[in-house]
Amino acid sequence: MSAEITDIVKHSPAFRAGVKKGDILISVNGHEISDVLDYMFYSAEDRTELLLKRGEKTLKKVVVKSEYDDLGLEFASFLMDDKRTCCNKCIFCFIDQMPPGMRETLYFKDDDARLSFLHGNYVTLTNLNDKDIQRIIDMRLNINVSVHTTNPELRCRMMNNRFAGEKLKYLKMIADSGLMMNCQIVCCPGINDGAELERTLDDLSELMPNIQSVAVVPVGLTKYREGLFPLTCFDKSGAENVICIIENKQRECLEKYGTRMAFPADEFYLLAERELPPTEFYEDYPQYENGVGLMRSLYDEVVQAMEGCNENISKRKVTVATGKAAEDFHRMLAEMIMDRFPQVEIRVEGIINRFFGETITVAGLVTAGDLIDQLKGTELGDELIIPKVMLKADEPVFLDDLTVSDAEKALDIKISSSANDGFEYLDKILGISY
Ligand code: SF4
């Protein structure tokens, strides 16, 4: 495959070597390039020979640079190839349970091993073959895998894919090659919890030390499940059982391998009404992006931030809005902050998710519509603080495509968002800006 160079970074190594916008890249160090991984892998050396087509001419350019420095070439698409879509129809797929009419990109079911390496996405391994796995091994790419269960027959049923079971063999191939994997299990009551979860954790621990971590997250069910596989949400005792199974396995792994390996998502502790585990429980937070340890880390940082805060804080009243699940947790943080700063009044509002359905309680799925409907006419104080996860990563836009400024106008209040970072959270609440 050849790829057109759509832009070139000024004064980059390739720019200095005379590569031009519009050139067609044919090969790098004699290797044809099929995608961005090939491009990154073969151009890592300090002396890189590019074979290019410019008009009718074929030419060679030698780029000299430090090892692993980027050449400075840009292509029409980031992957230099189409994104790989998934070939499953998982019984718990969140995308299948979304209401119609949302932005198109939210319906895209990606399952692309390249995005696992580049962005940390989780992949099921179901659309990979032996050659793809060998490439991952040859390139030494660590990968994040959605395992769900190691029972092959159950995996086929859960993913509605008759090949999903046999693809589990790749876990062992990857582990035997010495690469590391982070894994996730979407846990569904009565399906892959209980004895099945024990089996999965046992099987994964057989691959230690090449399993870096395993996040177990509860299935999320929206109100848009008509015609889909009948699933239920975890209740208090179901969540308690999941925690017990994981904590038993953790004790064994800690003794054998010096790491707990598996971690329950924060939601399980909320559902089970259990106290948050201590800081050391989360080790170095390997599954933070998967919602594991967010509350513990936020709590610890707020405590630290309060200890180090010597600012003069003015009288102020703010509202913190979050999802229903974390409402009590934020109330506890608010009380702690108000004890230390009595001049600050904090009100916490847990927003019921009417958009997706009331069983969806996480902050990241709260829409502006629900925020506005439920807070309109409420005395919100000087500022409304929302978690950053309610917004698109790169734009102040909610899931229902309303913007922060739409919500500000509707509620007639300044809205600011805070990352899950106790220092930023405290600054926003106290009105400290630098
Ligand atoms: S792998 Fe399963 S859960 Fe993920 S997008 Fe595909 S169908 Fe949905």
Side-chain angles (χ1 to χ4, degrees):
M1 191 188 90
S2 53
E4 184 180 346
I5 297 164
T6 52
D7 215 341
I8 184 156
V9 178
K10 258 199 173 160
H11 310 302
S12 61
F15 178 88
R16 289 199 303 271
V19 181
K20 292 204 160 46
K21 181 175 165 179
D23 287 349
I24 308 290
L25 179 65
I26 299 168
S27 67
V28 177
N29 283 337
H31 299 277
E32 266 196 42
I33 300 299
S34 64
D35 62 16
V36 67
L37 289 190
D38 279 347
Y39 170 68
M40 286 166 70
F41 186 71
Y42 294 120
S43 66
E45 290 171 31
D46 51 4
R47 188 185 178 281
T48 305
E49 194 176 285
L50 304 179
L51 187 65
L52 302 162
K53 205 161 168 45
R54 185 175 294 164
E56 292 305 307
K57 281 195 211 149
T58 302
L59 56 151
K60 266 187 192 156
K61 294 281 176 193
V62 175
V63 184
V64 181
K65 61 180 184 64
S66 301
E67 204 180 4
Y68 299 113
D69 266 8
D70 183 36
L71 291 174
L73 303 181
E74 286 177 19
F75 302 92
S77 77
F78 165 67
L79 282 177
M80 300 172 72
D81 190 17
D82 292 335
K83 259 194 212 166
R84 278 201 182 187
T85 181
C86 94
C87 52
N88 310 311
K89 195 150 183 8
C90 301
I91 56 173
F92 50 82
C93 182
F94 194 82
I95 297 172
D96 289 340
Q97 312 174 55
M98 296 210 304
M102 298 182 72
R103 78 182 86 103
E104 212 177 299
T105 50
L106 294 172
Y107 298 98
F108 186 74
K109 294 182 171 184
D110 87 69
D111 194 8
D112 197 314
R114 297 164 302 184
L115 293 175
S116 182
F117 170 66
L118 296 167
H119 289 167
N121 294 16
Y122 276 78
V123 291
T124 64
L125 308 174
T126 51
N127 60 3
L128 300 181
N129 57 32
D130 292 4
K131 211 170 134 211
D132 296 320
I133 295 296
Q134 197 52 51
R135 186 167 91 124
I136 287 170
I137 291 171
D138 291 344
M139 290 187 173
R140 313 304 300 155
L141 306 177
N142 292 328
I143 194 164
N144 296 340
V145 184
S146 289
V147 175
H148 307 315
T149 171
T150 52
N151 173 344
E153 189 256 329
L154 178 60
R155 195 168 196 250
C156 292
R157 275 193 282 129
M158 286 186 78
M159 301 176 86
N160 269 308
N161 179 337
R162 66 195 169 101
F163 303 109
E166 73 186 58
K167 299 285 178 175
L168 286 165
K169 69 181 180 198
Y170 292 146
L171 291 174
K172 179 147 174 38
M173 275 174 71
I174 294 170
D176 286 349
S177 77
L179 288 174
M180 299 299 287
M181 284 170 280
N182 288 299
C183 300
Q184 73 173 1
I185 295 168
V186 173
C187 206
C188 305
I191 308 282
N192 61 340
D193 60 347
E196 291 293 348
L197 179 60
E198 281 172 336
R199 170 187 175 158
T200 301
L201 295 179
D202 285 348
D203 289 344
L204 290 176
S205 69
E206 293 288 307
L207 303 176
M208 289 294 278
N210 298 86
I211 299 294
Q212 206 155 2
S213 64
V214 181
V216 183
V217 301
V219 63
L221 302 179
T222 77
K223 62 184 180 185
Y224 298 96
R225 287 199 55 85
E226 213 185 299
L228 297 178
F229 188 92
L231 285 175
T232 54
C233 294
F234 275 101
D235 59 12
K236 187 172 179 233
S237 78
E240 182 65 45
N241 285 339
V242 168
I243 293 172
C244 281
I245 289 170
I246 299 171
E247 287 186 350
N248 282 340
K249 194 70 200 170
Q250 284 186 329
R251 279 188 280 278
E252 191 188 310
C253 286
L254 197 56
E255 202 174 302
K256 267 197 191 158
Y257 310 107
T259 168
R260 289 168 179 80
M261 185 187 81
F263 301 89
D266 290 5
E267 271 179 278
F268 280 116
Y269 287 93
L270 294 170
L271 284 163
E273 297 170 27
R274 288 256 301 244
E275 253 185 52
L276 282 187
T279 312
E280 62 274 15
F281 176 93
Y282 293 106
E283 302 181 359
D284 54 356
Y285 291 91
Q287 288 282 356
Y288 186 85
E289 302 297 329
N290 236 331
V292 178
L294 297 188
M295 291 193 302
R296 166 51 65 192
S297 137
L298 183 64
Y299 176 89
D300 288 353
E301 286 168 354
V302 168
V303 170
Q304 273 182 51
M306 285 200 307
E307 278 167 11
C309 181
N310 300 312
E311 304 281 329
N312 244 338
I313 306 301
S314 315
K315 193 167 159 38
R316 168 176 169 81
K317 186 175 172 189
V318 295
T319 299
V320 172
T322 184
K324 272 315 253 184
E327 180 179 7
D328 289 345
F329 170 70
H330 282 272
R331 210 155 265 148
M332 184 262 286
L333 289 180
E335 275 161 23
M336 191 168 75
I337 297 169
M338 288 189 288
D339 269 356
R340 166 80 161 78
F341 302 97
Q343 67 276 43
V344 179
E345 194 183 327
I346 310 164
R347 177 195 175 103
V348 174
E349 291 284 348
I351 305 297
I352 300 167
N353 200 320
R354 302 231 155 84
F355 186 88
F356 286 109
E358 294 187 16
T359 47
I360 298 293
T361 55
V362 293
L365 293 172
V366 170
T367 57
D370 279 337
L371 196 71
I372 294 167
D373 285 350
Q374 290 168 52
L375 297 185
K376 210 165 177 118
T378 310
E379 174 46 49
L380 299 172
D382 306 309
E383 193 167 339
L384 172 63
I385 297 156
I386 58 168
K388 233 172 215 143
V389 287
M390 278 188 197
L391 306 173
K392 267 175 97 172
D394 49 353
E395 273 180 278
V397 176
F398 290 85
L399 264 175
D400 54 1
D401 280 340
L402 291 176
T403 64
V404 167
S405 82
D406 293 331
E408 284 183 323
K409 270 185 218 135
L411 293 171
D412 191 23
I413 191 165
K414 176 178 186 290
I415 299 180
S416 53
S417 62
S418 171
N420 193 73
D421 169 324
F423 293 88
E424 182 177 338
Y425 183 80
L426 187 70
D427 283 352
K428 293 267 158 91
I429 286 178
L430 301 182
I432 301 172
S433 53
Y434 296 99

